[in-house]
């Protein structure tokens, strides 16, 4: 997902930068004609319609998928300054996993990384709450949990690992 | 063209009584911006493993950099808006001096808390982190830090109280100053100019933001003294992000008055309030307060409808920005025959940078994207875009304009070099952040893995350029300030 997000962002950012650059270059050209205000109205409508479409598309299915299917494996993760504790160290591939995330002290962020150090999903660990996310691991291998929310002087040391093993067919 | 500009300027000269105080504030802001950028450079160099920084010190620098940049952005924005509101309102000079004094007292408390007390809980002071340092700092250091924030907040409230009072006296009501007559199509023979519309909106939303910020600061301070006094961590986070988001946005919405007031001098076309402009600012007033929910998309304990609103508003707040402010800037610039000097170039750049930075921000505000982008380098990537190329560029443009010559002249060699260095450095610097975010590199990590070093090193080189460009701009401002006063 990340490369697509980066590409879309860079293309849009470059297009908007180019529009400004062209306007600056046209400072000594002709002034905008009488149709300029109509163009502004068009732009407002275009942005509104695009926003409605993208919002509807991206929210139609709730992105956090909190209601885990009945066969989900529950894994409890708790964090503290400065450690992660995972109660299941071997997770089967292909099975939906429901993570129950808690913290013993301050706010932390649980980010799950694959062996290529790509972030797969994350959720905050908030004092006094159990936060839940579901994720299905497709590939066996070793995965890491990194802390994503600044939590004090050993924030970067807050790392733990678990294994995903080939699931029973 | 230059004669017209002179007339335009001199027409206001009599109504700018607090120029000295504003110039002093801008030189302080410029110096602190430069210093905070050096701290940023140090953090990037430490992540690159080019210099050694203890993690303790790294996180203290992180805290100082965040608090310092947000505070200075707000300070410079406030000075700019005060200056231009002074063209339409009689503002009490004593209030500005009290505001500046309280600000500096707050800064002293914050710097003491960090570099003497060792406080390194980040500028966001997420409850209960200030009280749970793991032995790194004492409760007194955290308390000094939060007292510093409180003192600065009191200064800002004084500032907004004075502005609101004077706007009310001059325009009859805040609603009229917000352009409601224009929106409702009623006749108004004294419509509020853009700077006043902006001032009315910011006065309302930032006062609310600061008061809620004060509430969570007070609760956190009590918790430091009486650890048994607990606050709900999620409620505290809501209050902190409401305050923090509104406050940093206010800095840009205050500084943009420089664009409204200065660009017309270069183009000869006055920037007037119309119906679309007034609607846009009223939308901003609502959006700026509702959009902070997009900071909490990872807090699944929040009611889902709030997260949905966070996503929607984070996109739709781009419409007043891009379709109104940015589009108007195109129209003002095209065919304007304007002279490009450092001031006009930086001000046009600032609107572009602000708009461009809103793109990765609203993409991160989508819940499905946020799951893999949140709290990676993507986030500093987007806010550095609209701060470095937006608010800071506005402040630098205003500074260059304050000390411009009697006639508007084309950019000289040094100005060109400063502008190009700053632009190249900042654009490269934020692009590296975005690439790092896409590469899943987490933010606020003192120590980086080998896999991430290439990103850090390229980022460090670009930040060196930013520091260099900034130094030329700020030193040039100081030199011209002395010449113009000597
Ligand atoms: Cu942590």
């Amino acid at each position: 997902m990340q490369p697509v997000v980066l590409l879309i962002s860079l293309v849009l950012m470059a297009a908007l930068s180019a529009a400004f650059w062209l306007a600056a270059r046209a400072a000594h050209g002709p002034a905008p004609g009488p149709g300029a205000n109509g163009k502004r109205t068009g732009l407002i409508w275009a942005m509104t319609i695009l926003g409605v479409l993208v919002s509807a598309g991206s929210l139609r299915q709730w992105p956090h998928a909190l209601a885990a299917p009945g066969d989900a494996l529950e894994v409890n993760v708790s964090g503290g300054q400065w450690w992660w504790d995972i109660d299941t160290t071997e997770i089967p591939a292909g099975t939906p996993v429901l993570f129950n995330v808690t913290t013993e002290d301050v706010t932390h962020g649980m980010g799950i990384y694959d062996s290529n150090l790509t972030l797969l999903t994350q959720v905050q660990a908030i004092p006094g709450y159990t936060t839940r996310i579901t994720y299905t691991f497709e590939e066996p291998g070793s995965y890491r949990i990194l802390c994503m929310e600044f939590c004090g002087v050993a924030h970067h040391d807050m790392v733990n690992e678990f294994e995903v093993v080939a699931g029973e067919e | 063209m230059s004669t017209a500009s002179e007339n335009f300027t001199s027409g206001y000269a009599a109504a700018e009584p607090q120029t000295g105080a504003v110039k002093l504030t801008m030189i302080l802001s410029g110096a602190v911006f430069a210093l905070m950028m050096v701290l940023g450079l140090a953090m990037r160099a430490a992540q690159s493993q080019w210099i050694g920084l203890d993690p303790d010190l790294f996180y203290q620098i992180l805290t100082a950099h965040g608090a310092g940049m947000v505070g200075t952005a707000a300070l410079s924005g406030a000075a700019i808006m005060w200056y231009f509101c002074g063209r339409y309102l009689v503002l009490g000079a004593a209030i500005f001096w009290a505001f500046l004094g309280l600000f500096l007292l707050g800064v002293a408390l914050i710097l003491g808390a960090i570099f003497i007390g060792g406080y390194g809980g980040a500028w966001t002071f997420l409850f209960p982190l200030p009280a749970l340092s793991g032995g790194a700092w004492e409760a007194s250091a955290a308390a000094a830090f939060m007292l510093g924030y409180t003192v600065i907040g009191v200064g800002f409230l004084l500032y907004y109280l004075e502005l609101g009072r004077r706007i009310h006296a001059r325009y009859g009501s805040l609603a009229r100053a917000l352009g409601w007559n224009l929106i409702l199509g009623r006749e108004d023979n004294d419509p509020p100019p853009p700077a006043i519309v902006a001032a009315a909106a910011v006065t309302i939303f930032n006062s609310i933001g600061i008061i809620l910020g004060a509430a969570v600061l007070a609760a956190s301070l009590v918790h430091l003294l009486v650890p048994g006094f607990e606050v709900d961590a999620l409620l505290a986070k809501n209050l902190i992000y409401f305050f923090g988001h509104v406050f940093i946005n206010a800095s840009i919405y205050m500084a943009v008055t420089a664009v409204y007031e200065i660009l017309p001098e270069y183009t000869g076309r006055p920037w007037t309030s119309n119906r679309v402009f007034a609607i846009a600012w009223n939308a901003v007033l609502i959006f700026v307060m509702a959009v902070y929910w997009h900071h909490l998309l990872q807090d699944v304990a929040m009611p889902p409808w709030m997260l949905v609103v966070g996503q929607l508003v984070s996109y739709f707040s781009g419409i007043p920005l891009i379709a109104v402010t940015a589009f108007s800037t195109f129209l003002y610039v095209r065919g304007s025959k304007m002279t490009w000097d450092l001031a006009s170039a930086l001000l046009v750049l600032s609107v572009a940078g602000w708009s461009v930075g809103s793109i990765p921000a609203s993409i991160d505000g989508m819940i499905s994207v946020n799951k893999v982008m949140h709290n990676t380098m993507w986030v500093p990537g987007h806010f550095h875009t609209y701060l470095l190329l937006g608010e800071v560029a506005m402040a630098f443009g205003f500074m260059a304009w304050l000390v411009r010559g009697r006639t508007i002249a084309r950019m000289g060699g040094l100005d060109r070099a400063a502008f190009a260095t700053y632009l190249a450095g900042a654009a490269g610097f934020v692009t590296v952040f975005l690439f790092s975010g896409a590469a899943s590199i987490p933010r606020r990590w003192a120590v980086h893995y080998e896999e991430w070093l290439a990103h850090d090193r390229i980022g460090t080189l670009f930040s060196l350029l930013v520091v260099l460009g900034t130094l030329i701009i700020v030193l040039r401002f100081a030199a011209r300030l002395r010449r113009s006063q000597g």
Side-chain angles (χ1 to χ4, degrees):
Chain A
M1 179 170 212
Q2 287 93 327
V4 179
V5 170
L6 178 67
L7 188 68
I8 293 174
S9 302
L10 290 180
V11 167
L12 291 174
M13 292 168 81
L16 192 53
S17 307
F20 270 97
W21 189 68
L22 290 175
R25 296 234 334 170
H28 289 272
N37 282 325
K39 280 188 189 150
R40 184 207 313 266
T41 313
L43 182 61
I44 292 175
W45 278 109
M47 284 185 74
T48 307
I49 293 166
L50 179 74
V52 170
L53 291 178
V54 171
S55 310
S58 65
L59 291 169
R60 217 161 61 94
Q61 211 183 6
W62 185 237
H64 283 309
L66 293 177
D71 59 345
L73 173 74
E74 284 203 40
V75 173
N76 299 310
V77 178
S78 60
Q81 286 169 317
W82 287 280
W83 46 267
W84 287 112
D85 187 54
I86 313 163
D87 73 350
T88 314
T89 48
E90 287 198 350
I91 292 174
T95 306
V97 182
L98 173 68
F99 288 95
N100 296 315
V101 185
T102 53
T103 165
E104 297 208 341
D105 40 48
V106 302
T107 299
H108 299 278
M110 183 195 71
I112 300 178
Y113 280 73
D114 69 9
S115 53
N116 299 317
L117 277 175
T118 300
L119 180 56
L120 303 175
T121 189
Q122 63 178 313
V123 75
Q124 295 270 298
I126 295 266
Y129 292 85
T130 300
T131 46
R132 295 187 172 83
I133 45 160
T134 43
Y135 194 83
T136 306
F137 297 91
E138 303 297 345
E139 293 295 320
S142 81
Y143 288 74
R144 269 182 260 192
I145 290 180
L146 270 55
C147 188
M148 307 301 289
E149 186 62 72
F150 178 67
C151 57
V153 292
H155 170 51
H156 56 278
D157 274 337
M158 221 174 123
V159 178
N160 204 343
E161 287 191 14
F162 62 87
E163 294 293 320
V164 171
V165 295
E168 304 142 51
E169 290 301 308
Chain B
M1 191 58 228
S2 55
T3 343
S5 315
E6 269 178 72
N7 294 341
F8 202 103
T9 316
S10 56
Y12 285 118
E16 288 168 3
Q18 295 177 43
T19 310
V22 168
K23 281 181 175 169
L24 173 68
T25 310
M26 294 316 291
I27 191 76
L28 281 172
S29 301
V32 182
F33 275 138
L35 193 67
M36 292 299 129
M37 286 174 185
V38 171
L39 294 186
L41 171 64
M43 286 191 283
R44 292 304 266 146
Q47 288 168 334
S48 300
Q49 299 178 9
W50 279 338
I51 63 167
L53 274 187
D54 247 18
D56 292 37
L57 183 58
F58 181 97
Y59 291 124
Q60 288 167 22
I61 290 178
L62 178 89
T63 304
H65 177 82
M69 277 297 184
V70 171
T72 313
L75 177 70
S76 56
I80 293 170
M81 196 166 81
W82 188 266
Y83 182 89
F84 290 117
C85 283
R87 289 179 166 181
Y88 310 101
L89 311 168
V90 181
L91 295 167
I95 298 284
F96 193 85
W97 289 113
F99 158 73
L100 188 60
L102 285 167
F103 188 91
L104 294 175
L105 175 63
V107 169
L109 278 164
I110 289 170
L111 289 179
I114 295 172
F115 293 113
I116 301 172
Y119 177 75
W123 82 276
T124 47
F125 65 98
L126 274 187
F127 183 87
L129 180 58
L132 296 176
S133 71
W137 62 83
E138 300 292 322
S140 58
F145 182 84
M146 289 194 262
L147 274 176
Y149 267 28
T150 311
V151 169
I152 290 174
V154 171
F156 268 96
L157 279 181
L158 270 181
Y159 170 102
Y160 288 120
L161 213 61
E162 171 70 1
L163 261 181
R165 191 168 79 93
R166 302 291 182 161
I167 290 173
H168 185 86
R170 168 75 177 76
Y171 291 93
S173 72
L174 281 177
R176 181 160 168 241
L178 279 168
W180 282 20
N181 282 349
L182 295 169
I183 295 175
L184 299 171
R186 285 193 203 130
E187 210 167 307
D188 192 334
N189 52 16
D190 181 25
I196 293 295
V197 177
V202 176
T203 295
I204 297 171
F205 69 66
N206 215 16
S207 300
I208 298 174
I210 291 168
I211 289 167
L212 292 188
V216 67
L217 281 167
S220 303
L221 275 166
V222 174
H223 172 77
L224 281 171
L225 297 173
V226 188
F229 175 83
E230 288 288 341
V231 184
D232 183 279
L234 191 55
L235 174 67
K237 190 172 176 182
N238 271 273
L239 289 169
I240 289 167
Y241 275 95
F242 181 87
F243 152 72
H245 185 95
V246 165
F247 193 76
I248 190 60
N249 270 269
S251 72
I252 311 184
Y253 288 114
M254 292 191 285
V256 76
T257 52
V259 176
Y260 298 153
E261 291 283 328
I262 295 175
L263 279 193
E265 286 185 19
Y266 287 80
T267 62
R269 303 171 182 164
W271 196 308
T272 47
S273 307
N274 56 27
R275 191 154 178 255
V276 179
F277 182 86
I279 292 175
W281 268 94
N282 281 266
V284 161
L285 174 61
I286 307 295
F287 285 172
V288 121
M289 293 193 286
V291 75
Y292 85 93
W293 284 327
H294 75 189
H295 286 280
L296 304 171
L297 300 179
Q298 291 299 320
D299 295 301
V300 292
M302 290 284 288
W305 66 268
M306 287 187 177
L307 304 187
V308 170
V309 172
Q311 166 165 338
L312 294 180
V313 175
S314 130
Y315 174 82
F316 284 103
S317 58
I319 295 181
L321 168 59
I322 292 176
V324 181
T325 298
F327 195 80
S328 300
T329 311
F330 296 154
L331 297 188
Y332 279 85
V333 170
R334 278 188 59 141
S336 64
K337 311 280 181 287
M338 77 189 287
T339 310
W340 292 103
D341 67 356
L342 190 57
S344 62
L346 280 167
L347 288 172
V348 172
L349 170 68
S350 73
V351 178
W354 181 18
S355 319
V356 167
S358 74
I359 291 170
S362 46
I363 289 182
D364 179 59
M366 291 173 65
I367 298 172
S368 50
V369 172
N370 193 270
K371 292 177 85 73
V372 291
M373 291 304 200
H374 183 64
N375 277 342
T376 66
M377 292 294 212
W378 187 267
V379 176
H382 73 62
F383 68 70
H384 277 85
T385 310
Y386 55 69
L387 290 174
L388 211 45
L389 290 167
E391 204 287 329
V392 178
M394 282 170 193
F396 287 170
F398 174 70
M399 286 160 69
W401 174 84
L402 268 181
V403 294
R404 74 208 177 286
R406 205 170 290 276
T407 52
I408 298 174
R410 288 179 152 279
M411 256 195 271
L414 187 61
D415 283 352
R416 269 171 197 280
F419 181 78
T421 310
Y422 185 79
L423 174 57
F429 178 71
V430 298
T431 307
V432 172
F433 265 153
L434 294 176
F435 271 86
S436 304
S440 301
I441 303 176
R443 71 187 283 213
R444 292 172 164 160
W445 270 40
V447 180
H448 274 192
Y449 295 148
E450 293 289 328
E451 289 91 329
W452 301 335
L453 291 187
H455 290 256
D456 303 331
R457 289 179 175 172
I458 300 169
T460 308
L461 296 177
F462 278 118
S463 63
L464 207 57
L465 282 184
V466 176
V467 170
L468 197 66
T470 297
L471 282 178
I472 309 176
I473 292 172
V474 173
L475 290 175
R476 179 194 163 289
F477 173 70
R480 293 206 177 168
L481 197 61
R482 240 184 48 199
R483 208 180 318 153
S484 68
Q485 283 171 344

